[in-house]
Amino acid sequence: MLTSLHIKNYALIDELNVSFNNGLTIITGETGAGKSILLGGLSLVLGKRADLSQVKNTAEKCIIEAVFDIANYDLKTLFLTLDLDYDVQTIIRREILPSGKSRAFINDTPVTLESLVALSSYLIDIHSQQQTQQLTQDDYQFKVIDALADNKSNLEDFSKQLGAYKILRKALVELKSSKAELIKEYDYNLFLSNELNEINLDKINLEDLETQYEELNNVEVIGEKLSSAKAILSEENLGVIDQINSVKQELSKIASFGKPYEVLKERIISVGIELDDILIEIDSLEDNLTTDPQELERINSKLQIINNLFQKHSVSEIEDLIGIKKDLQLKIDNTESLDQSILDKEQEILKANDKLNQIALKINKNRKKVIPVFVSKLEAILSDLGMPNAKFKVELEPTEQFTKNGKDSLQFLFMANKGSSFNELKKSASGGELSRIMLAIKSILAEYIQLPSIMFDEIDTGVSGEISNKMGDIMKQMSNSMQVFSITHLPQIAAKGNSHFKVFKTDIEDITHTQLKKLNEDERIVEIAQMLGGLTITDSAMAHAKQLLN
């Protein structure tokens, strides 16, 4: 419920602070006194767009702040979704800066207007004659029937499943689209893959291949140089080995003369042994050196293929080609298995479709069960509101398509007078009739769900006498379970309020100001007497006012 409202520097309001209680709150005032200004300020708190023209003094900031007690509303999940701190006493503030920019805050956290609207729709409902048009909208009609049918959990489940179903349908479309594209690429990918598979990349050591190629390609040079090296080492008397042996013999003669000479002798012996091993290795290499033009051609061809693949795929390592081969194989496998993937996805969609149909059937059954109850209650209330011949019909028909409201189409049909025929509500009900129908529906809804605080803005326009008294009774009854405001010109309704505020204008130093005052018991009697008889208050008007209040 709305517990307090603070307005500063808005329209004709300098500064206003007012507290509200539960029950039925009446707001009265002369035409043009500023009731619309009060509603305008409250609308800003609820997310209406702001502009600098609404500010009284454009050199100062405009502030509208409302405090709500939200203990009876299950809004913790919404606060979590909006990333807001939950507080039972929630404060909503709008500011319009001198620059024309506006800011919104919920519990001192800056928020967007979208977030503000998302929360405020649960807190207060400003209802005017213009807003009765929502009665003719499908979404509102479904909201009414589903509230009575207790379909909230079913609709939440349906919405969740419908979201998953749409994702599956989208995935199927993408699969079929990708199939067309992949088929175009399949042959080329298969060619590239076969090309990479033929060379057996996993068993290639590029460094070994290049070494073999260099050896076979230079076999004559290698043989010549090995032979020359061998001659240098082993030529009799002049060869390096013979010379080393001579050195060894000379050093052996002086080895016993001291440690340094012994070390030199050992070192030259080691050199000699190493040279002998080198000579043996040269002999072995020379013996194994062969000319093989065919092997050379095979290796050369393989290296050319690898280099061509490097160039084609813009890489320089065998590992890169192996990675490309795996990617190509994955694309090929995906293409070859796409038909199965499409079939699997279609099966998932069929299962999701069945599940949606089951939930939609539950929703439909609950709606069918409650519609006669709703029509009966509505017609009874409308009869009390001066529409004894009004008849309602709610047509619920199954549809082939899933919508956010299930799998039904819904239509409110109305007949105001005997002898006429049922027609769509928007075509058959006048503005005054729509107002009374809306009041009746709100009163029915209040029996089933926790409605936000509601403000009826002159919903009683065009009615009087006993009907206005009945309207007041309905508002009073609604206020037993929720907070109700009524801006009214009718004394019969004003007298039923638990509290009563008057909007009025004052002129101070040639400047008009709008003010709001809570009336005490005596002031209420005077206000209602004026509503009954005008500014000149008669004894009979006062007596009638007291009678209405009692």
Side-chain angles (χ1 to χ4, degrees):
M1 65 175 260
L2 176 65
T3 60
S4 67
L5 181 66
H6 169 70
I7 300 177
K8 182 178 180 181
N9 193 33
Y10 177 77
L12 297 179
I13 298 174
D14 285 324
E15 187 163 9
L16 174 71
N17 288 288
V18 60
S19 296
F20 299 107
N21 297 318
N22 212 335
L24 177 59
T25 298
I26 299 299
I27 300 174
T28 59
E30 296 293 332
T31 299
K35 297 186 293 294
S36 61
I37 294 174
L38 187 67
L39 287 179
L42 190 56
S43 295
L44 284 176
V45 169
L46 303 181
K48 180 184 175 183
R49 297 262 172 205
D51 63 72
L52 199 58
S53 65
Q54 298 167 313
V55 179
K56 182 176 177 64
N57 181 355
T58 55
E60 296 181 3
K61 182 165 60 175
C62 166
I63 299 174
I64 300 98
E65 185 173 277
V67 180
F68 293 89
D69 183 342
I70 61 173
N72 293 333
Y73 298 95
D74 184 16
L75 295 177
K76 289 183 179 179
T77 302
L78 177 63
F79 271 73
L80 186 63
T81 302
L82 297 176
D83 195 24
L84 295 170
D85 293 330
Y86 177 81
D87 195 323
V88 170
Q89 294 295 319
T90 285
I91 303 171
I92 298 178
R93 186 171 79 255
R94 284 292 298 281
E95 297 179 354
I96 305 175
L97 306 179
S99 63
K101 292 182 179 179
S102 75
R103 301 185 298 186
F105 302 85
I106 297 175
N107 293 332
D108 287 329
T109 299
V111 295
T112 62
L113 286 187
E114 288 76 13
S115 295
L116 191 59
V117 170
L119 175 61
S120 62
S121 63
Y122 291 91
L123 303 181
I124 191 162
D125 175 16
I126 298 178
H127 176 73
S128 63
Q129 281 205 11
Q130 290 77 17
Q131 288 171 307
T132 56
Q133 293 303 316
Q134 65 180 284
L135 265 176
T136 65
Q137 298 168 3
D138 287 348
D139 282 350
Y140 188 80
Q141 293 176 5
F142 273 115
K143 178 182 175 181
V144 171
I145 297 300
D146 286 324
L148 273 65
D150 195 22
N151 265 334
K152 181 180 178 182
S153 61
N154 286 328
L155 284 168
E156 287 174 350
D157 193 14
F158 183 85
S159 178
K160 181 180 178 181
Q161 295 298 329
L162 182 60
Y165 175 76
K166 288 180 177 179
I167 290 172
L168 287 173
R169 291 288 298 262
K170 183 179 178 182
L172 179 62
V173 170
E174 290 174 351
L175 273 176
K176 289 182 175 180
S177 176
S178 64
K179 178 182 177 181
E181 293 299 319
L182 286 173
I183 286 174
K184 293 177 183 177
E185 299 176 6
Y186 177 75
D187 289 339
Y188 182 60
N189 289 336
L190 187 60
F191 167 76
L192 292 177
S193 178
N194 288 337
E195 191 176 49
L196 291 169
N197 284 328
E198 284 175 4
I199 200 169
N200 204 0
L201 292 167
D202 295 322
K203 294 184 179 180
I204 287 178
N205 186 314
L206 187 58
E207 187 178 348
D208 287 348
L209 270 181
E210 290 173 339
T211 299
Q212 291 176 47
Y213 174 78
E214 290 298 326
E215 184 177 305
L216 288 170
N217 194 43
N218 296 284
V219 66
E220 292 181 1
V221 175
I222 293 170
E224 178 185 330
K225 297 305 178 185
L226 285 176
S227 180
S228 176
K230 182 179 174 182
I232 292 170
L233 286 172
S234 62
E235 189 174 350
E236 191 174 352
N237 297 324
L238 298 175
V240 174
I241 291 175
D242 280 352
Q243 295 295 323
I244 288 296
N245 286 334
S246 296
V247 174
K248 181 176 65 175
Q249 289 173 4
E250 294 301 319
L251 290 175
S252 294
K253 295 175 182 179
I254 63 172
S256 59
F257 296 158
K259 188 64 175 176
Y261 312 115
E262 177 67 25
V263 171
L264 281 176
K265 184 192 80 168
E266 293 301 327
R267 290 175 66 186
I268 205 66
I269 289 172
S270 295
V271 172
I273 293 170
E274 181 64 22
L275 288 174
D276 287 338
D277 286 343
I278 290 172
L279 184 60
I280 292 169
E281 183 68 23
I282 290 174
D283 280 336
S284 177
L285 289 172
E286 193 175 37
D287 291 340
N288 293 326
L289 195 63
T290 57
T291 301
D292 191 344
Q294 290 182 339
E295 180 65 9
L296 177 63
E297 178 58 31
R298 185 189 70 79
I299 293 173
N300 183 50
S301 176
K302 201 165 195 175
L303 286 171
Q304 285 184 347
I305 291 171
I306 292 171
N307 287 324
N308 288 339
L309 290 172
F310 282 161
Q311 187 174 7
K312 178 183 287 188
H313 296 285
S314 300
V315 295
S316 59
E317 302 289 341
I318 293 293
E319 289 75 14
D320 295 332
L321 289 178
I322 292 173
I324 291 169
K325 185 183 76 169
K326 289 179 180 178
D327 289 342
L328 287 169
Q329 190 59 50
L330 184 62
K331 290 180 181 179
I332 291 166
D333 292 342
N334 286 342
T335 304
E336 292 174 345
S337 64
L338 205 54
D339 286 336
Q340 185 60 47
S341 297
I342 289 173
L343 183 61
D344 292 343
K345 193 64 66 179
E346 287 173 340
Q347 291 299 316
E348 287 185 70
I349 290 172
L350 284 175
K351 290 179 181 178
N353 186 81
D354 290 342
K355 195 163 187 177
L356 278 172
N357 278 321
Q358 290 172 13
I359 303 171
L361 184 59
K362 287 182 185 178
I363 294 170
N364 174 271
K365 287 181 177 179
N366 290 345
R367 287 168 176 167
K368 283 182 177 178
K369 190 186 300 182
V370 81
I371 283 173
V373 177
F374 168 68
V375 170
S376 176
K377 285 177 177 284
L378 184 58
E379 289 178 350
I381 295 172
L382 290 177
S383 179
D384 286 343
L385 292 177
M387 299 169 65
N389 298 319
K391 295 296 178 183
F392 243 85
K393 183 190 290 186
V394 178
E395 290 189 344
L396 186 72
E397 299 293 338
T399 63
E400 293 300 318
Q401 301 297 321
F402 295 121
T403 69
K404 63 181 180 180
N405 294 312
K407 210 175 178 183
D408 295 323
S409 67
L410 184 69
Q411 193 171 39
F412 282 11
L413 300 178
F414 178 66
M415 180 173 67
N417 304 297
K418 290 181 178 180
S420 57
S421 57
F422 282 104
N423 204 343
E424 293 178 48
L425 194 58
K426 61 184 176 182
K427 295 179 180 178
S428 56
S430 66
E433 288 169 337
L434 281 175
S435 292
R436 281 178 270 181
I437 292 169
M438 176 62 91
L439 177 61
I441 288 176
K442 295 280 188 182
S443 69
I444 294 171
L445 282 175
E447 299 176 22
Y448 291 85
I449 59 174
Q450 181 64 58
L451 290 173
S453 298
I454 188 168
M455 183 170 286
F456 291 111
D457 179 18
E458 299 183 1
I459 194 174
D460 48 33
T461 299
V463 299
S464 59
E466 183 58 25
I467 297 192
S468 64
N469 193 49
K470 291 289 185 180
M471 293 183 80
D473 287 340
I474 291 173
M475 294 181 196
K476 184 71 173 178
Q477 178 64 33
M478 290 175 66
S479 72
N480 291 332
S481 60
M482 60 182 292
Q483 186 183 39
V484 179
F485 294 86
S486 178
I487 297 175
T488 182
H489 289 289
L490 298 181
Q492 294 91 337
I493 292 177
K496 296 183 184 294
N498 300 103
S499 55
H500 190 153
F501 291 83
K502 181 175 182 178
V503 181
F504 60 97
K505 288 180 180 179
T506 58
D507 293 332
I508 302 174
E509 296 180 356
D510 295 327
I511 299 176
T512 301
H513 303 267
T514 289
Q515 298 183 38
L516 180 69
K517 179 184 179 182
K518 186 174 183 179
L519 304 180
N520 59 32
E521 191 65 27
D522 291 338
E523 289 169 333
R524 285 191 75 184
I525 294 172
V526 172
E527 175 68 8
I528 291 173
Q530 287 181 333
M531 293 173 74
L532 286 165
L535 292 177
T536 302
I537 301 174
T538 63
D539 291 341
S540 62
M542 288 290 287
H544 192 185
K546 291 177 182 178
Q547 184 181 7
L548 286 175
L549 284 168
N550 292 328

